[in-house]
Amino acid sequence: MQITVSAQARASLPPERATVHMDLAFEGGDKQQVLSQTRILAQEFSREVDRLKTLSPSPTTWSAVLPIATRSWRPWAQDGATLPLRHGARCPVKLKFRDFAALASFVDRWGGREGVTIHDVEWTLTEERRASETDRVLAEAVRNATQRATVMARAAGAGDVEVLEIADPGFLQRPHGVGEFDGVAVRSAMGGAPDAGQGVDLQPEDVEMVAVVDARFTTR
């Protein structure tokens, strides 16, 4: 007798890194002015990143300053009249922290500044921890598949089971090498934009991992 099952395993892990996603942006009637304001603020951000890097130990591990994008549009008044041309400049930036107390301090200082929008904080694991936990959760999913098949076999009056095939989801039905999911999904928690103010309290959100496998067994 053959038994085919699908099984999964889950894990919720405390984050080890936090990436702040921000926009440095201005808008107004003078294109050169808003571009200059955005450029100056981006330079201040880069200097702040450099300062944090010099601390020992540094509370940050990585940063990115994307190119400044500009746009122009002509707004309309409620009566349908055309208003003067408006211009905007936007520089997306990211900063990854290993020290969450330093993250809270950074958000407290930068969140209330003119031209700064903090969109969210992304809570993640280190690459090394993510790799090891992926292996662990995947192995647990395989054990769960074996246990599930064993229960089904014994309920049907058969003995122990022996694995014939084990694969990522969908591969037992698809041609070899065709698939869209590698069997382990990692959800990096995305917290909403934190409020800027005195004593910002950021609560880390667990990183969720889910491993799914399909397996086919035969009874002995």
Side-chain angles (χ1 to χ4, degrees):
M1 178 175 62
Q2 289 190 359
I3 299 174
T4 303
V5 300
S6 179
Q8 67 176 14
R10 294 177 176 270
S12 296
L13 306 168
E16 299 170 306
R17 298 289 186 269
T19 303
V20 185
H21 296 254
M22 303 167 51
D23 273 348
L24 312 178
F26 290 91
E27 67 174 60
D30 187 321
K31 183 176 182 179
Q32 291 304 317
Q33 181 180 5
V34 298
L35 183 59
S36 176
Q37 288 176 300
T38 304
R39 184 180 295 114
I40 290 172
L41 190 57
Q43 292 170 347
E44 291 183 31
F45 173 82
S46 295
R47 287 194 294 270
E48 173 68 2
V49 171
D50 290 340
R51 184 189 71 82
L52 292 171
K53 287 180 179 179
T54 64
L55 300 180
S56 183
S58 173
T60 63
T61 64
W62 175 86
S63 64
V65 179
L66 280 65
I68 297 176
T70 60
R71 67 188 185 103
S72 299
W73 69 99
R74 191 175 297 279
W76 298 81
Q78 292 184 348
D79 60 3
T82 302
L83 297 177
L85 197 64
R86 298 281 292 179
H87 306 277
R90 170 177 169 267
C91 178
V93 299
K94 304 175 186 179
L95 183 57
K96 181 179 288 189
F97 285 83
R98 72 172 102 231
D99 184 329
F100 297 163
L103 163 66
S105 177
F106 174 85
V107 169
D108 192 25
R109 287 181 285 108
W110 278 78
R113 295 191 56 174
E114 182 183 4
V116 175
T117 301
I118 299 178
H119 293 292
D120 50 54
V121 176
E122 179 183 8
W123 306 96
T124 57
L125 304 173
T126 63
E127 291 298 322
E128 295 80 7
R129 179 78 184 283
R130 173 174 171 168
S132 65
E133 293 295 339
T134 295
D135 291 346
R136 182 183 67 82
V137 176
L138 184 57
E140 183 179 350
V142 173
R143 289 192 293 269
N144 291 343
T146 303
Q147 181 182 10
R148 182 178 179 86
T150 300
V151 171
M152 294 172 69
R154 290 176 179 172
D160 292 336
V161 298
E162 182 177 340
V163 64
L164 292 175
E165 294 180 273
I166 191 163
D168 290 332
F171 275 76
L172 292 185
Q173 290 77 38
R174 297 173 181 166
H176 179 69
V178 178
E180 298 177 353
F181 178 46
D182 65 1
V184 182
V186 182
R187 186 184 70 84
S188 298
M190 301 291 288
D195 294 331
Q198 187 66 29
V200 174
D201 183 19
L202 296 176
Q203 297 297 325
E205 298 182 35
D206 283 350
V207 177
E208 303 290 337
M209 303 188 74
V210 181
V212 182
V213 296
D214 291 345
R216 182 170 291 126
F217 298 83
T218 185
T219 56
R220 296 175 182 174

